[in-house]
């Protein structure tokens, strides 16, 4: 859940027509030689002695974590009023931000290889662990918080969340769970042309439920099994369907940047930033804003930064900005944070693998894709589409991803290939058990129903 877009000269340009919005996406086009990999992941901080969530204020707090990282590792502080609410890399390449319930997020730099992005993840986890250890704070990689109620979960002092949460209550039943009690890992990838974007968007939308199954890791809520393997994914089915989902229009003839603009224009707004403050525009139309008819800012027209901000408030399974964001995976253990960029890089950055993936999914109907998306949170690898199980399809997808990564020929430390990051997913398919299935086995077996063991056994 990205924050407001930084101010730039481009961002200050007044929007006069839809063509400018289409041109915004055109500026994201990159030749293959410049394609990069950006990994983002969220995790739950917790107090190691009590296993309670970490408050924003106090001696052992989110603020202390941010200040400690800033002082020890040279990050720049980002403030809202007097509160530090994020950190930025002085080089402008990466940032650390807060989700509504204190979930700690690394938004990584655009990097050339899976080796590089995994090294970045490792460095980040080492940094937060070093500062966290001094404060008695640990970090848990799950897709949903396993024990805390909504009421127990702290609220971060960020203006946008004060607007979003009440609006969520009007448009769905699980929006607050999405905001305060879930964590994801995602990867952001480039495209060379509009046609390349369309093919990658279609393939990644169709296969997003496969990734959801492979990374399912949120089977607990409030101290017991919740009936799902990916509760995080289920939450999105009733958060706000006007801004989430599988984007069936993306598979229709004529899909283009302009078609996505038309969709985004009709997604209700949340806010507009003015003079460092959030103006609540929840439920209003960006089209009306372009006409200067926004009730909260009468006569005022949007600038390009407003459009960039608005795009961050749209939450489909795959999101288009000036790159594509894969949004279907639960957060998880260290190895799986590196497996996600490996999976999608292998599929989308090799034309042969991308074509193979399209051949695999092009016969699926919109109804079949939606049914699969609805079934996977509960059934995981056992869900089916076109008479085939997700487990069988995932095995084929992993072969394509491995082939794509091999064709890149990029080796890391001691000659390690990028394909090695897929090994943990191969293990999942071979066993037929997701990380969530394994957690449930522990809960019903060795843990004897003691959910607190998850903090000890699965923290970073």
């Amino acid at each position: 859940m990205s924050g407001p877009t930084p101010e730039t000269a481009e961002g200050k340009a007044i929007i006069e027509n839809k063509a400018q919005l289409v041109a915004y996406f055109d500026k994201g086009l990159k030749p293959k030689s410049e394609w990069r990999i950006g990994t983002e992941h969220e995790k739950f901080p917790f107090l190691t002695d009590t296993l309670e969530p970490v408050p924003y204020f106090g001696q052992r707090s989110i603020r202390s974590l941010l200040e400690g990282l800033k002082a020890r590792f040279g990050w720049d502080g980002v403030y809202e009023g007097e509160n530090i609410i994020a950190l930025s890399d002085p080089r402008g390449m990466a940032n650390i931000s807060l989700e509504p319930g204190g979930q700690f997020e690394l938004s990584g730099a655009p990097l050339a290889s899976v080796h590089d992005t995994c090294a970045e993840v490792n460095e980040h986890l080492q940094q937060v662990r070093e500062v966290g250890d001094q404060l008695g704070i640990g970090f848990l990689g799950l897709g949903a918080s396993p024990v805390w109620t909504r009421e127990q979960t702290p609220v971060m002092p960020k203006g946008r969340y004060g607007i979003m949460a009440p609006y969520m209550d009007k448009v769905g039943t699980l929006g607050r769970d999405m905001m305060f009690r879930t964590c994801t890992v995602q990867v952001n990838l480039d495209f060379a042309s509009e046609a390349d974007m369309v093919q990658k968007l279609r393939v990644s939308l169709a296969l997003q439920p496969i990734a959801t199954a492979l990374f399912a890791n949120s089977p607990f809520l409030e101290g017991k099994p919740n009936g799902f393997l990916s509760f995080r994914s289920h939450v999105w089915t009733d958060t706000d369907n006007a801004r989430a989902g599988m984007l069936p229009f993306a598979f229709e003839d004529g899909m283009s940047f302009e078609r996505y603009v038309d969709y985004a224009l009709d997604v209700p707004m949340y806010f507009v930033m003015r003079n460092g403050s959030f103006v609540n525009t929840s439920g209003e139309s960006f089209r009306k804003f372009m006409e200067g008819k926004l009730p909260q800012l009468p006569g005022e027209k949007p600038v390009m930064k407003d459009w960039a901000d608005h795009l961050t408030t749209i939450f489909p399974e795959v999101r288009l900005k000036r790159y594509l964001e894969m949004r279907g995976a639960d957060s998880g253990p260290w190895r799986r944070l590196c497996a996600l960029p490996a999976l999608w890089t292998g599929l989308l950055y090799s034309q042969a693998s991308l074509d193979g993936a399209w051949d695999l999914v092009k016969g699926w109907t919109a109804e079949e894709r939606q049914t699969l998306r609805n079934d996977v949170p509960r059934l995981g690898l056992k869900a089916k589409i076109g008479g085939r199980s997700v487990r069988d399809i995932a095995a084929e997808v992993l072969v394509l991803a491995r082939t794509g990564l091999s064709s890149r020929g990029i080796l890391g430390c001691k000659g390690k290939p990028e394909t090695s990051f897929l090994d943990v997913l191969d293990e999942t398919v071979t066993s037929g058990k997701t990380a969530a299935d394994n957690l449930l086995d522990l809960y019903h077996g060795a843990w004897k129903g003691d959910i607190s063991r998850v903090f000890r056994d699965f923290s970073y």
Side-chain angles (χ1 to χ4, degrees):
M1 193 183 299
S2 305
T5 309
E7 289 279 6
T8 63
E10 178 196 8
K12 296 177 182 179
I14 295 175
I15 300 172
E16 301 288 355
N17 54 64
K18 190 170 74 171
Q20 291 171 268
L21 306 184
V22 175
Y24 175 88
F25 292 112
D26 278 324
K27 292 181 180 178
L29 303 181
K30 293 181 176 67
K32 187 172 183 176
S33 60
E34 295 179 15
W35 289 355
R36 295 294 182 264
I37 304 164
T39 303
E40 304 181 21
H41 84 271
E42 302 161 359
K43 53 215 162 287
F44 294 105
F46 64 93
L47 300 176
T48 53
D49 51 352
T50 65
L51 307 185
E52 294 173 350
V54 179
Y56 178 80
F57 296 102
Q59 205 166 24
R60 300 168 66 198
S61 64
I62 296 293
R63 183 162 66 176
S64 296
L65 272 173
L66 290 170
E67 294 284 8
L69 287 163
K70 176 175 176 284
R72 187 180 294 257
F73 297 108
W75 292 85
D76 291 334
V78 179
Y79 296 83
E80 192 168 310
E82 296 183 357
N83 295 321
I84 185 170
I85 50 99
L87 300 170
S88 65
D89 181 342
R91 298 165 297 178
M93 300 295 284
N95 62 74
I96 295 171
S97 58
L98 301 178
E99 293 301 295
Q103 304 98 310
F104 232 60
E105 178 179 6
L106 171 71
S107 296
L111 300 169
S113 75
V114 183
H115 301 293
D116 294 337
T117 194
C118 193
E120 178 190 56
V121 168
N122 292 344
E123 181 183 22
H124 168 73
L125 290 176
Q126 288 164 356
Q127 287 186 6
V128 297
R129 195 164 61 182
E130 185 174 327
V131 175
D133 283 350
Q134 289 192 326
L135 296 169
I137 293 172
F139 296 87
L140 183 64
L142 286 181
S145 61
V147 297
W148 309 320
T149 64
R150 289 184 185 178
E151 290 71 28
Q152 289 173 311
T153 304
V155 179
M156 297 299 102
K158 296 177 69 173
R160 67 184 277 156
Y161 299 150
I163 293 170
M164 290 172 62
Y167 183 74
M168 292 288 187
D169 295 337
K170 300 175 183 177
V171 293
T173 63
L174 297 174
R176 286 184 184 260
D177 288 318
M178 180 279 291
M179 291 179 65
F180 295 100
R181 298 202 289 182
T182 63
C183 281
T184 186
V185 53
Q186 72 178 48
V187 61
N188 308 324
L189 298 170
D190 293 314
F191 41 80
S193 65
E194 186 173 55
D196 186 41
M197 178 279 293
V198 171
Q199 186 180 20
K200 287 174 175 172
L201 178 63
R202 288 171 173 170
V203 165
S204 54
L205 279 168
L207 290 179
Q208 210 62 218
I210 309 301
T212 298
L214 284 169
F215 288 85
N217 192 39
S218 47
F220 303 126
L221 200 70
E222 297 183 13
K224 59 183 183 296
N226 55 38
F228 295 89
L229 298 176
S230 177
F231 179 74
R232 183 210 59 83
S233 180
H234 168 67
V235 157
W236 280 107
T237 65
D238 195 15
T239 287
D240 182 351
N241 289 330
R243 69 183 73 245
M246 292 288 284
L247 304 185
F249 68 83
F251 295 83
E252 297 171 359
D253 291 344
M255 177 57 191
S256 61
F257 289 139
E258 184 175 5
R259 181 68 187 84
Y260 194 88
V261 167
D262 287 334
Y263 158 73
L265 283 172
D266 290 327
V267 173
M269 297 175 66
Y270 279 149
F271 60 81
V272 174
M273 284 288 292
R274 287 294 180 269
N275 301 316
S277 298
F278 290 89
V279 178
N280 187 342
T281 61
S282 55
E284 295 291 348
S285 162
F286 204 93
R287 291 183 190 274
K288 189 184 293 185
F289 194 9
M290 288 178 65
E291 296 169 359
K293 297 178 180 178
L294 202 62
Q296 296 85 348
L297 297 169
E300 187 170 337
K301 289 193 174 185
V303 296
M304 290 305 297
K305 181 182 179 299
D306 297 322
W307 176 242
D309 283 347
H310 180 58
L311 292 175
T312 71
T313 69
I314 302 173
F315 305 127
E317 293 294 297
V318 180
R319 177 161 62 186
L320 175 63
K321 294 204 273 193
R322 283 177 168 166
Y323 44 83
L324 289 169
E325 297 181 347
M326 310 295 117
R327 296 174 41 80
D330 287 3
S331 188
W334 206 307
R335 290 175 74 198
R336 289 177 173 269
L337 299 180
C338 302
L340 187 80
L343 173 68
W344 289 113
T345 299
L347 287 172
L348 302 189
Y349 277 6
S350 157
Q351 190 61 50
S353 292
L354 181 60
D355 290 341
W358 176 238
D359 287 340
L360 179 63
V361 305
K362 64 184 180 184
W364 298 351
T365 67
E367 292 74 21
E368 287 175 325
R369 291 191 300 268
Q370 187 60 51
T371 298
L372 180 66
R373 189 264 172 269
N374 293 341
D375 289 348
V376 157
R378 190 181 298 276
L379 299 177
L381 295 172
K382 296 176 183 176
K384 291 187 175 182
I385 184 170
R388 301 184 67 197
S389 71
V390 166
R391 182 182 180 186
D392 287 344
I393 295 167
E396 194 169 336
V397 166
L398 285 170
V399 170
L400 290 168
R402 193 171 284 274
T403 302
L405 289 176
S406 294
S407 71
R408 287 162 55 84
I410 300 176
L411 301 179
C413 181
K414 298 180 181 178
K416 180 179 179 180
E418 287 183 311
T419 54
S420 63
F421 295 111
L422 295 175
D423 291 350
V424 66
L425 302 183
D426 286 333
E427 292 167 14
T428 296
V429 170
T430 299
S431 69
K433 288 193 167 187
T434 65
D437 288 311
N438 293 331
L439 285 171
L440 289 167
D441 286 346
L442 287 168
Y443 175 82
H444 292 296
W447 293 354
K448 298 179 180 178
D450 180 6
I451 197 73
S452 69
R453 292 281 297 274
V454 75
F455 291 94
R456 188 185 76 186
D457 294 355
F458 287 89
S459 61
Y460 294 120

